[in-house]
Amino acid sequence: SHKDDSTTQTYLRGHTKPIMSMAVSPSGRFAATGETGKDSDILVWDVPACQIIYRLSEHDWGVDHLAFSHDEKLLLSVSGEKDSGGKLIAWDMSSGMIVASSRPPPPVLSTPAVQPHLTLQRIQGTVITTPKSLQAALFRPTPPRQHPHTYEFVLAGQNWATQARGPLFWTLDPYEGTMTYKVGETRMVKRTYVSLAYSPDGELLLAGTESGDIVTFANANLKDVIPVCHCAVGCMVGPLAGWGVYVAGGVDGSVVPFNPFAKLVYATGDLSTPGAADVTRLPPAATLIGGVSSMSVLPDSADVIIGTSNCLMYRVNMDECSAAVLRENHMASVTQACFSPSTMELFATSSEDRSVTLWSLLDYAVLFKSTHKQAGECWCVCMSDHFVLSGWQDGQIRAHLIPTGELQWCIPNAHPGGVRCLAVSWGQSFLVSGGENGEVQIWDMERRRLISTCKEHTSRVTGLEIFDGDEACLSSSRDRTFAVWDVRRGSRLSAHSQRMGAINGIALSRDQVQVVTTGQDKRVSFWDLREPQPLQVIPDAHAGEGTCVCISPDGKLVASGGADQVVRLWEFSSGRLLTEVIGHSSSITSIQMSFDNQTIISSGADGTVVIWKLHRPELEEVAQHN
């Protein structure tokens, strides 16, 4: 974040595939990210400079885990069984070259034993294997006492019970290019280890298990078994400043403080008073929505930042057992985002995660989130002064009250195939909806009765606009056409079609005569409703399919989004490209400009909503010129 604006973000772009693993070095200077899928790369970033340092291309299928050494000189990467049986590689951060790698343990280990040294090649391409479904990899935070020039790290994961009864403790000598390992002595305690943490001095290893235990190891020997959760321990952090207390996060959302040295789980609400070693007697300090997926301790406090599988970020005070939501997001594609027609403080989003959400534009806090699990995906959203209106896969239109989110009314069976788009009249007396099967319907909002039906489109309706005066509306469709309709009679006033490709987005200009469209032909087309053919066409406006378009309320700018993940801004009068920005990592699903002409909101299939501020010098020059 920038110092003058805590909401400003910087993107690190370079991956071409989904990111499945990430690690940050102890000082925060470096970050490493790994891809999933075939021919997966690792990118090492200089975080302050926002630049790629290395692109490491050794894994053939997925990078499961990454870890930096305590001195930031080495990076460890681990892949699974699909990657030629698995690879474990140590990288030199000064050169980006491979330092060492090793082969997996034998399929069956009858007794823990120190394996012989393996002399390894220093060239790229050395392939070694690790057990499948690996879940955790961690460097020791301090150098070993006896051999300070070496490094120690631990591997643990699912299905290891058939290969080893405990975590594998590895020693890496980067100067010799060798790795050795030994199996942790567990005294016949059989567990599947899924998370790892070290004490600050590196003398005690904490291993979280699928059964909810924390198993501690000293010198690779089992020390204690501490039950903390009723489910798998997803992650651990600690110690909290001044308390010596660690925190475990369960995949059921439970957050539990414990002391691994005293073998105690702490009583709720007081870190100074230990509770009992039996977790069944104590409730968790907090129970969050979604499984705990990541945690970070804030310096000099009893606060922990926690992320969950439901895309929520919490700040949890372990002493007071209070949890506050810092940020939240959708868990699937955001199908549409729109501004309030009456205030610059609100916007709403719909998502394939079966929810509709109202946000504050001031601090991006969620004011309400309504989920209808039986309704299918939420495909579209629009706002009136008092309601957030949404269209759903089950064919219903639902109205939620602002700002409480209470469901006020719904229109059942509005569209049999699902509601694809919505628009509210300027006087907010009627509502226009477009369906999956091509029908356009006008509804009385007060009585929720059907006024008229316009059925000439032969495919999905992709966009709706209402003319000033509320006497006509405009619709676009995947059937390559757009049409103007008489609202009261339900009759068509005019129709236009383009030669090839579906129309995915449409926008009506301020003069109520000119229209802008975009679609499968990758173009942005400027039309006059009085002319049969477009007045101007921008060929190859997007590298992929054009997905959405809008016109600024003052009529000077056109914004478009596409499957190429790029938002482009055009001058309306000339069609000149003014600027392009990238913030999404998947196709852009909707775009809209605020009525003060200062903000653009875009939504994406990657589940993100991006707020753009229009304050670039070239845009100010265009505004002055016009």
Side-chain angles (χ1 to χ4, degrees):
S1 298
H2 294 252
K3 294 181 180 179
D4 59 342
D5 187 354
S6 62
T7 63
T8 300
Q9 298 172 330
T10 301
Y11 295 92
L12 305 180
R13 302 187 65 88
H15 286 287
T16 58
K17 302 180 182 68
I19 300 169
M20 69 177 298
S21 56
M22 181 176 69
V24 179
S25 66
S27 71
R29 178 187 174 189
F30 302 116
T33 49
E35 297 176 341
T36 184
K38 186 178 180 181
D39 298 327
S40 304
D41 289 345
I42 301 169
L43 296 187
V44 181
W45 307 85
D46 183 324
V47 175
C50 299
Q51 295 179 347
I52 298 174
I53 303 175
Y54 303 117
R55 181 179 291 272
L56 310 176
S57 303
E58 185 61 30
H59 293 281
D60 298 322
W61 192 282
V63 182
D64 287 350
H65 290 274
L66 295 164
F68 282 98
S69 61
H70 65 279
D71 57 5
E72 305 184 349
K73 293 182 178 180
L74 297 178
L75 173 68
L76 183 71
S77 63
V78 186
S79 60
E81 189 178 29
K82 288 186 177 180
D83 189 9
S84 302
K87 298 179 183 178
L88 171 63
I89 303 172
W91 305 85
D92 185 345
M93 286 296 94
S94 65
S95 64
M97 302 298 291
I98 292 178
V99 173
S101 56
S102 181
R103 295 188 177 277
V108 178
L109 295 176
S110 57
T111 58
V114 177
Q115 302 302 311
H117 278 66
L118 300 175
T119 302
L120 307 173
Q121 298 179 0
R122 292 177 177 269
I123 61 173
Q124 286 190 334
T126 303
V127 177
I128 57 92
T129 309
T130 57
K132 64 180 179 180
S133 302
L134 190 67
Q135 295 296 318
L138 184 67
F139 268 103
R140 178 186 168 122
T142 58
R145 294 180 180 178
Q146 296 181 346
H147 304 285
H149 66 284
T150 63
Y151 297 81
E152 293 182 354
F153 63 90
V154 184
L155 299 181
Q158 293 179 345
N159 299 325
W160 279 51
T162 59
Q163 302 193 30
R165 291 177 295 174
L168 296 186
F169 292 79
W170 294 77
T171 300
L172 165 63
D173 188 335
Y175 300 97
E176 297 294 331
T178 59
M179 287 183 181
T180 61
Y181 73 89
K182 61 180 177 181
V183 181
E185 173 55 62
T186 60
R187 300 202 298 265
M188 303 304 294
V189 175
K190 295 184 178 181
R191 296 290 189 275
T192 298
Y193 300 94
V194 295
S195 57
L196 298 170
Y198 262 114
S199 61
D201 60 6
E203 296 299 322
L204 188 71
L205 174 72
L206 288 68
T209 71
E210 279 192 338
S211 56
D213 304 318
I214 302 290
V215 181
T216 60
F217 293 85
N219 297 320
N221 293 315
L222 185 147
K223 183 181 179 182
D224 289 311
V225 178
I226 310 170
V228 294
C229 299
H230 299 285
C231 61
V233 181
C235 52
M236 296 171 287
V237 291
L240 302 182
W243 298 104
V245 174
Y246 289 71
V247 181
V251 297
D252 62 349
S254 59
V255 180
V256 182
F258 68 98
N259 188 327
F261 300 96
K263 194 182 176 182
L264 291 172
V265 176
Y266 279 77
T268 302
D270 189 357
L271 295 182
S272 62
T273 304
D278 185 359
V279 70
T280 59
R281 301 178 187 176
L282 298 173
T287 301
L288 311 180
I289 300 175
V292 176
S293 57
S294 58
M295 296 194 293
S296 180
V297 177
L298 290 181
D300 303 321
S301 75
D303 289 356
V304 181
I305 304 297
I306 299 178
T308 75
S309 58
N310 280 35
C311 296
L312 291 159
M313 183 185 296
Y314 290 89
R315 180 168 182 162
V316 179
N317 183 281
M318 301 307 302
D319 194 25
E320 299 177 357
C321 295
S322 60
V325 176
L326 295 180
R327 289 287 184 268
E328 61 180 293
N329 199 14
H330 290 288
M331 295 186 293
S333 170
V334 180
T335 52
Q336 191 171 5
C338 68
F339 287 110
S340 166
S342 57
T343 174
M344 277 302 301
E345 298 181 0
L346 302 174
F347 68 95
T349 56
S350 57
S351 174
E352 291 181 359
D353 66 4
R354 305 185 178 191
S355 72
V356 59
T357 306
L358 179 66
W359 308 74
S360 167
L361 196 60
L362 301 178
D363 58 3
Y364 308 113
V366 171
L367 301 181
F368 78 75
K369 185 174 185 177
S370 181
T371 301
H372 300 274
K373 295 183 179 180
Q374 305 302 320
E377 299 171 354
C378 187
W379 282 346
C380 56
V381 66
C382 69
M383 295 179 67
S384 67
D385 291 344
H386 303 291
F387 299 106
V388 174
L389 302 154
S390 53
W392 297 75
Q393 188 178 9
D394 67 353
Q396 295 198 34
I397 299 172
R398 292 176 170 86
H400 295 84
L401 185 65
I402 297 175
T404 63
E406 180 183 355
L407 180 62
Q408 290 293 292
W409 50 264
C410 65
I411 301 176
N413 302 315
H415 293 272
V419 184
R420 280 294 179 177
C421 46
L422 293 170
V424 178
S425 65
W426 294 100
Q428 301 189 10
S429 60
F430 66 86
L431 172 72
V432 182
S433 62
E436 173 70 18
N437 299 325
E439 63 277 1
V440 175
Q441 304 199 120
I442 294 91
W443 306 86
D444 184 315
M445 282 187 62
E446 183 178 357
R447 301 178 180 180
R448 275 85 70 188
R449 293 181 179 177
L450 182 64
I451 298 175
S452 59
T453 299
C454 313
K455 183 65 174 79
E456 289 194 23
H457 291 302
T458 59
S459 187
R460 176 194 306 169
V461 178
T462 57
L464 293 170
E465 294 280 348
I466 299 178
F467 287 79
D468 292 347
D470 292 342
E471 295 182 355
C473 68
L474 178 71
S475 65
S476 62
S477 171
R478 296 279 294 179
D479 63 6
R480 300 185 294 110
T481 69
F482 66 90
V484 179
W485 307 92
D486 185 303
V487 169
R488 298 188 180 278
R489 297 179 180 179
S491 59
R492 190 188 70 186
L493 300 178
S494 66
H496 292 73
S497 64
Q498 63 183 24
R499 188 171 60 87
M500 61 180 184
I503 298 176
N504 293 328
I506 192 167
L508 179 64
S509 70
R510 186 178 181 180
D511 63 11
Q512 309 289 287
V513 173
Q514 297 186 75
V515 171
V516 180
T517 62
T518 189
Q520 279 186 317
D521 57 3
K522 306 179 184 179
R523 301 175 177 179
V524 172
S525 302
F526 295 76
W527 303 76
D528 188 311
L529 292 175
R530 298 164 296 190
E531 302 293 335
Q533 298 300 320
L535 302 179
Q536 181 183 4
V537 173
I538 304 174
D540 299 321
H542 288 274
E545 187 172 331
T547 55
C548 50
V549 68
C550 72
I551 301 174
S552 62
D554 61 9
K556 297 177 180 179
L557 302 173
V558 174
S560 64
D564 58 0
Q565 310 165 18
V566 181
V567 172
R568 289 187 168 89
L569 205 61
W570 315 85
E571 186 179 36
F572 181 84
S573 60
S574 66
R576 177 167 62 98
L577 178 64
L578 301 176
T579 188
E580 60 181 38
V581 287
I582 301 177
H584 295 278
S585 57
S586 188
S587 178
I588 298 171
T589 56
S590 74
I591 193 165
Q592 188 182 13
M593 196 172 296
S594 62
F595 57 76
D596 65 355
N597 304 290
Q598 296 298 315
T599 307
I600 291 177
I601 186 171
S602 60
S603 62
D606 57 358
T608 61
V609 178
V610 182
I611 310 295
W612 307 94
K613 298 296 183 181
L614 299 180
H615 52 70
R616 297 174 64 92
E618 58 266 34
L619 301 182
E620 296 176 3
E621 293 176 4
V622 170
Q624 293 174 2
H625 172 73
N626 289 334

